[in-house]
Each structure stands twice: as structure tokens, then as C-alpha cells.
Amino acid sequence: MVDRPKKPSALPTSAGSSMPPAPQVDISPSSDRVTATLPTGESCEVLLYGATLVSWKSEGGQRENLWMSDAAKVDGSKAVRGGIPLVFPVFGPPPSSSHLPQHGFARISRWEFLGKSTSESDSSVQLDFGLMSSNLSPEMRAAWPCEFGVIYSVTLGRRSLETRVVVRNEGAAAWEFMWLWHTYLRVEDIHQTHLTGLSSTPYHDRVASAHLTSEPSPTPLTITSETDRVYHPPDPQSTITVHTPAPRYEITRENLPDVVVWNPWEEKAKGMSDFEPKDGWENMLCVEEGSVREGVRLEGGEAWEGGVTVRLVEEG
């Protein structure tokens, strides 16, 4: 877990001159997480377990933008409840013939920290993480015997968080996969939150019926009960905006055709042992970007890339 090799040496400075402050990247003493902090105080924190983003702070480090359950397990005993877990290579329950866990193994595997890079032009820092088939446990290798490599990048900016992934087939045989960012956004009040950018989009309502295709709604989406919908925006470049009593979230996607909107609401939250506080559903909304309606097929040697950028924009 070191920086990239062949990193250029620091430039010498002359007397009376100084270099501008640079982003700081730290690895925890237990080597279980990586934290990046900008000179202005913004930060993000990534567990190596699952490469799960568990914190993204803006406004000089004063505002937390991700919701985390107080009962989330961050010791590797189960998937993290909150933050941004990674869903790969299946979404939801696996096929009956498979022994894969729900939502796959990416979120419950230990990733490798590959290094960092910084940009002086926009005061950003990028963290890179990797997962290969050789990193998997024998049980997961048996459940999904495909040769693969995944590079996951997290870029922290002053008022933005960009996440990108490259999935590569490292073998000769073709295989299919699904990918999803299971993003838990923190909102001030779910009752005063609505989404725009999905109003003309058909969706599958997984609460009413996993097979029901609903007609597009002409109004902004408000959350008034348990919600679990898979939207299929006709324009993959469209912006989805989460309006909440704070800076709004503007979400753009690249090569990701599907968007999941999820909130467990009161009754379901009560039945989830790792969901705390039980009224936490009032302060979170999952807006999840990925490719989950059908699998992405990769032939031997092929690669697939996707990305999400979340920007904070003042209302008004």
C-alpha cells in the first residue's frame, strides 16, 4: 500500500518561496482505511474492506454528505450499512444456481490501495484501489470462477466527489456482470426532499412487484413510503438532482443506464439489525447508479468503464 512507483521527486524551492499546500493522504495505523484531506478541509475516507466510502465531508470538513448507520459493521464481519458500498458482480439475490452472496463480493472483499495522485489546477486528489480474482477467498473463487481485474478511483474536489471504475476480463472465456454504486446520501429531512431528472423515466417498482414496469411520472419524485425503484432513464447523460434543505446534490453518470432509488421507511428500518438509529430513514436517501437491468458482457481481454460525479450546488 504505497504511492505509485516512479513518482517525481519534489521540486527544490528557493529561499523566500514556498509551494502551495498539497492534499494529505493518510493510511490508518491498522492499515484498514485511507483518508484524503484537501488543504481547505474537505475530506473523504475509504475502508479497504469493500473499498467502501464511509465519509465525504465538504464545507471545510464541516458537512457530512454520506449517511452511515450507527450500527454499521466496519470490521469486515458483514457489508457496511451506509456510505457507498460497491455492488459487483450481481445485483440483489444471485441466481439460484450460484453461491454468491447478495449484491456479490466486491463490498465484502479486501481491496488493495494502489496509490494517489493530485492536481494543482483544481486542488483535487485521486485515490486508486484494486481488486483481482486472485484476491478473493477460495469460497468466492469457487462461486464465481472468472478471471477479472477491477480498478476503482475516488477523486475528491472542493464541492464534488467523482467515482470511476474499470472492469477488465483477464481470462479467455466471456462472462457477464452487474455494477452499482449503493450510495447513501445524507439529507436533512426526507419529508422535505424530492428528486428531479427522473420524471419522464419508466421504472420497476420492487416494492409493489419486481416485474412491474410503471409508467413515467410527470411530477418530481417525493418519498412518502418504503421506496425501492429501478429507473431506466432514456438519456444516460441526464442529470439527477436531489433537492433537500441544504446544498442540493447534482448527479451525473457515464455509461450507467440504471438508477435505483431506495429508502426503507419506518417499518423496514425497524427490522434491520444494523440500521441505527431506527429513525435514520428520515435523514438518508439512496440514489444508486449502475448497470443492473441486464448484465454487461465482456469477452476475453475486454474492459468496461463507468463513472459517477456528485456535485454540491447551493439552492436558489
Side-chain angles (χ1 to χ4, degrees):
M1 294 185 295
V2 296
D3 290 351
R4 294 191 179 97
K6 300 181 181 179
K7 186 177 70 174
S9 302
L11 295 175
T13 57
S14 59
S17 67
S18 61
M19 298 292 288
Q24 182 72 31
V25 174
D26 298 297
I27 302 174
S28 66
S30 57
S31 298
D32 68 340
R33 65 189 65 202
V34 180
T35 302
T37 307
L38 300 183
T40 46
E42 291 77 10
S43 67
C44 68
E45 184 176 339
V46 184
L47 289 180
L48 292 185
Y49 176 67
T52 307
L53 263 155
V54 294
S55 177
W56 167 33
K57 293 181 178 179
S58 59
E59 298 179 8
Q62 301 303 306
R63 172 184 165 83
E64 176 60 68
N65 301 297
L66 300 180
W67 184 88
M68 281 284 294
S69 168
D70 292 345
K73 304 295 184 182
V74 295
D75 59 0
S77 59
K78 66 179 299 184
V80 177
R81 175 68 65 188
I84 308 182
L86 305 178
V87 174
F88 171 85
V90 293
F91 170 63
S96 57
S97 59
S98 171
H99 295 289
L100 285 170
Q102 168 128 332
H103 291 329
F105 50 70
R107 64 180 187 156
I108 56 172
S109 297
R110 184 178 175 89
W111 291 59
E112 180 182 358
F113 178 46
L114 302 179
K116 64 178 176 66
S117 56
T118 60
S119 172
E120 293 183 6
S121 62
D122 59 3
S123 300
S124 65
V125 58
Q126 176 177 309
L127 307 175
D128 294 327
F129 303 87
L131 181 69
M132 299 184 66
S133 46
S134 57
N135 300 133
L136 299 183
S137 67
E139 293 78 13
M140 289 302 100
R141 285 282 284 165
W144 207 65
C146 303
E147 299 298 325
F148 72 90
V150 181
I151 302 296
Y152 176 47
S153 300
V154 176
T155 302
L156 172 68
R158 284 287 306 275
R159 295 181 65 82
S160 67
L161 185 75
E162 179 183 358
T163 51
R164 302 191 63 82
V165 66
V166 177
V167 180
R168 183 177 177 85
N169 184 342
E170 300 288 359
W175 40 262
E176 292 187 357
F177 71 95
M178 295 178 179
W179 178 273
L180 184 78
W181 277 274
H182 198 328
T183 306
Y184 289 72
L185 293 175
R186 177 176 289 278
V187 300
E188 298 301 316
D189 183 355
I190 193 64
H191 305 285
Q192 300 182 54
T193 298
H194 67 275
L195 287 80
T196 55
L198 292 173
S199 59
S200 61
T201 301
Y203 62 89
H204 288 75
D205 191 329
R206 289 157 57 90
V207 174
S209 169
H211 304 290
L212 175 65
T213 301
S214 299
E215 292 299 320
S217 170
T219 60
L221 173 63
T222 57
I223 310 300
T224 58
S225 61
E226 180 187 348
T227 301
D228 189 356
R229 297 178 177 180
V230 183
Y231 285 84
H232 315 298
D235 179 3
Q237 305 300 322
S238 61
T239 298
I240 301 165
T241 304
V242 180
H243 303 264
T244 186
R248 68 179 183 262
Y249 301 101
E250 289 191 351
I251 303 167
T252 55
R253 299 160 292 126
E254 182 178 333
N255 201 25
L256 301 168
D258 307 314
V259 177
V260 179
V261 179
W262 181 77
N263 184 291
W265 215 249
E266 184 174 7
E267 288 305 313
K268 189 164 186 175
K270 288 179 180 178
M272 302 166 71
S273 61
D274 60 350
F275 195 100
E276 293 288 348
K278 291 306 180 187
D279 62 356
W281 57 271
E282 296 184 291
N283 303 116
M284 55 75 61
L285 179 63
C286 285
V287 182
E288 313 166 30
E289 306 80 20
S291 183
V292 297
R293 180 170 45 170
E294 55 188 33
V296 177
R297 181 180 175 87
L298 289 181
E299 301 291 337
E302 289 185 339
W304 171 89
E305 183 174 358
V308 179
T309 300
V310 184
R311 293 182 176 86
L312 296 169
V313 181
E314 294 290 345
E315 290 282 6

